[in-house]
């Protein structure tokens, strides 16, 4: 298949591009390099031994986007390009609406115009907000808590209304839970982002630093041990989920929304305990107040995605922690006896 991948040099996009190229799909990656580098393109080409095409294009530039699609004539589009930090989106909502909403409109319009029939959209579990149920299924009412989460909800509507409403068109909107880790081969190690405020990077920084301490956000939440519960999914599993989605797109018409998670919820306390038990290293931590807008519990109901994609994640929490370590420190962790 000829596959256009927007944001294909970013964190999830680069892992998905590797899995797609390994399966001999012809790729054109579009990326504006705002949060990625050309070094990632070299890795994808070398690791997969394939001539992945690339154009530096911002999806807000509708003319160049249209030209790229007209020139490549993809069979399918996988749309990762987006801004992704909920906290930043509160401070810079315009940028989020421009990149995530306008960009998705441009892409859906161009896809429709050039008769592309298959589309995979990167959505987020953030659309559920404070879900009333755990696990949360795809029919749960949406309550996005940040401009970022709202742009993802709107993106789903755009893809459904502009793209998937055409006869013969089909799309998946994939709601990601919490992607972590790096490709197990180590191919993308050098490009792993270490500065984010997500739990896994913060934990890794606290383990090796003399000064950094992990702040556990919230200790009296309505969860079994009082700390926040999330559904962590290895980024390589997530990438393979996209391959499955692409292969299943012809099975139906219209848009289907699917959760991509493991279906397992782990609390921050459990993540710390698992890390300490698996690697024999202490996580320096302290307890602080919950982050505003953070749901206490979020993990996926996976029945629908497992049935629709014939896919399920394979990495467990120990492996995710080991691969995050690998991404951070460049070599597999050696267990230390405490
Ligand atoms: C956030 C985004 C989500 C995005 C995901 C991965 C929100 C509402 N959601 O999810 O859209 O897909 O990142 O990029 O912001 N925690 C600590 N200490 C820390 C960091 C986190 O205790 O230093 C806790 C959090 O309170 C939460 C859990 O760890 O309970 C996971 O947090 P995090 O990794 O930041 O992801 P989310 O907030 O779930």
């Amino acid at each position: 298949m000829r596959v256009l991948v927007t944001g294909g040099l970013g964190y999830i996009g680069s892992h998905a591009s590797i899995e797609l190229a390994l399966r001999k799909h012809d790729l054109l990656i579009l990326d504006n390099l705002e949060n990625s580098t050309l070094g990632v393109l070299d890795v994808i080409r070398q690791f997969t031994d394939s001539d992945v095409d690339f154009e530096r294009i911002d999806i807000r530039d509708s003319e160049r986007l249209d030209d790229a699609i007209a020139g490549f004539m993809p069979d399918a589009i996988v749309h990762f390009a987006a801004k992704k930090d909920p906290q930043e989106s509160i401070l810079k909502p315009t940028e989020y609406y421009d990149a995530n909403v306008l960009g998705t409109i441009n892409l859906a319009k161009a896809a429709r115009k050039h008769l592309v029939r298959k589309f995979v959209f990167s959505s987020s579990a953030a659309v559920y907000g404070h879900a009333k149920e755990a696990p949360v299924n795809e029919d749960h009412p949406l309550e996005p808590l940040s401009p970022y989460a709202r742009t993802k909800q709107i993106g789903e509507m755009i893809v459904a209304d502009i793209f998937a409403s055409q006869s013969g068109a089909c799309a998946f909107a994939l709601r990601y839970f919490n992607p972590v880790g790096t490709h197990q081969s180590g191919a993308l190690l050098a490009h792993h982002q270490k500065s984010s405020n997500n739990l896994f990077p913060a934990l890794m920084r606290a383990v090796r630093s003399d000064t950094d301490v992990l702040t556990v956000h919230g200790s009296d939440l309505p969860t079994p041990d009082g700390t926040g519960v999330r559904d962590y999914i290895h980024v390589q599993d997530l990438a393979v989920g996209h391959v499955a989605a692409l292969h299943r797109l012809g099975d139906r018409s219209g848009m289907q929304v699917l959760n991509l998670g493991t279906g397992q919820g782990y609390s921050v306390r459990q993540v710390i305990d698992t890390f300490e038990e698996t690697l024999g290293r202490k996580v320096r931590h302290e307890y602080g107040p919950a982050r505003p807008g953070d749901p206490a519990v979020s993990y996926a109901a996976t029945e629908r995605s497992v049935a629709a994609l014939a896919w399920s994640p394979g990495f467990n929490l120990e492996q995710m922690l080991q691969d995050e370590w690998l991404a951070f420190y460049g070599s597999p962790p050696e267990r230390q006896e405490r």
Side-chain angles (χ1 to χ4, degrees):
M1 230 188 284
R2 294 173 69 74
V3 186
L4 182 95
V5 185
T6 75
L9 302 186
Y11 177 48
I12 304 172
S14 57
H15 285 82
S17 294
I18 282 185
E19 298 302 329
L20 291 167
L22 285 175
R23 288 161 181 81
K24 304 296 171 208
H25 292 295
D26 292 325
L27 303 190
L28 168 60
I29 290 177
L30 306 185
D31 201 298
N32 68 359
L33 302 180
E34 187 181 297
N35 196 24
S36 58
T37 64
L38 281 177
V40 177
L41 180 64
D42 295 334
V43 170
I44 296 169
R45 285 176 173 160
Q46 282 166 19
F47 186 76
T48 63
D49 192 22
S50 56
D51 307 318
V52 171
D53 280 337
F54 171 75
E55 287 190 52
R56 181 174 184 172
I57 287 181
D58 191 309
I59 56 171
R60 286 165 283 199
D61 183 343
S62 57
E63 274 182 35
R64 291 196 62 210
L65 182 62
D66 195 278
D67 287 348
I69 294 178
F72 185 63
M73 291 307 278
D75 302 301
I77 293 176
V78 188
H79 176 31
F80 294 102
K83 295 174 82 69
K84 63 169 184 183
D85 181 339
Q87 306 302 324
E88 184 188 54
S89 77
I90 296 167
L91 304 172
K92 300 175 178 172
T94 315
E95 291 185 21
Y96 275 69
Y97 276 86
D98 266 351
N100 297 6
V101 175
L102 189 60
T104 302
I105 292 176
N106 289 341
L107 191 61
K109 273 167 67 178
R112 188 176 169 117
K113 176 174 161 193
H114 295 291
L115 307 177
V116 183
R117 288 282 180 258
K118 297 177 176 178
F119 201 105
V120 180
F121 176 66
S122 294
S123 189
S124 169
V127 296
Y128 295 119
H130 295 295
K132 288 170 190 57
E133 289 158 17
V136 60
N137 77 33
E138 291 86 348
D139 297 328
H140 191 282
L142 305 186
E143 188 201 341
L145 300 172
S146 65
Y148 159 74
R150 280 188 279 281
T151 65
K152 287 295 171 183
Q153 181 186 10
I154 296 167
E156 291 184 2
M157 295 174 185
I158 293 166
V159 176
D161 288 342
I162 298 183
F163 180 81
S165 61
Q166 312 166 84
S167 114
C170 43
F172 283 120
L174 304 178
R175 292 180 181 158
Y176 310 148
F177 281 72
N178 290 59
V180 297
T182 187
H183 202 274
Q184 256 212 328
S185 65
L188 287 163
L189 286 186
H191 302 282
H192 192 75
Q193 290 196 345
K194 303 185 176 73
S195 59
S196 93
N197 293 324
N198 293 122
L199 177 64
F200 274 46
L203 185 153
M204 295 300 153
R205 289 193 298 268
V207 174
R208 285 274 284 256
S209 153
D210 292 334
T211 48
D212 284 4
V213 175
L214 173 68
T215 302
V216 177
H217 297 309
S219 55
D220 55 358
L221 303 172
T223 65
D225 64 18
T227 68
V229 172
R230 292 292 184 275
D231 184 339
Y232 300 97
I233 176 167
H234 195 291
V235 66
Q236 198 173 339
D237 275 332
L238 200 59
V240 174
H242 287 77
V243 176
L246 206 60
H247 292 172
R248 290 295 169 128
L249 268 172
D251 293 358
R252 51 185 295 142
S253 58
M255 186 173 89
Q256 189 178 20
V257 177
L258 297 175
N259 286 339
L260 289 193
T262 64
Q264 291 280 327
Y266 289 102
S267 71
V268 176
R269 185 69 256 172
Q270 286 175 307
V271 172
I272 294 172
D273 289 347
T274 304
F275 181 90
E276 292 187 339
E277 280 159 23
T278 309
L279 298 174
R281 291 167 194 258
K282 272 274 176 221
V283 179
R284 290 150 44 85
H285 63 281
E286 63 190 14
Y287 289 89
R291 284 189 306 205
D294 243 2
V297 180
S298 169
Y299 61 95
T302 57
E303 290 78 7
R304 200 171 294 176
S305 57
V306 169
L309 304 180
W311 159 91
S312 55
F315 291 88
N316 63 25
L317 184 62
E318 286 82 357
Q319 292 165 320
M320 293 184 219
L321 285 162
Q322 283 172 359
D323 284 352
E324 186 77 24
W325 175 283
L326 179 67
F328 250 75
Y329 297 115
S331 57
E334 279 173 30
R335 192 185 151 79
Q336 279 185 352
E337 295 312 324
R338 281 184 283 153

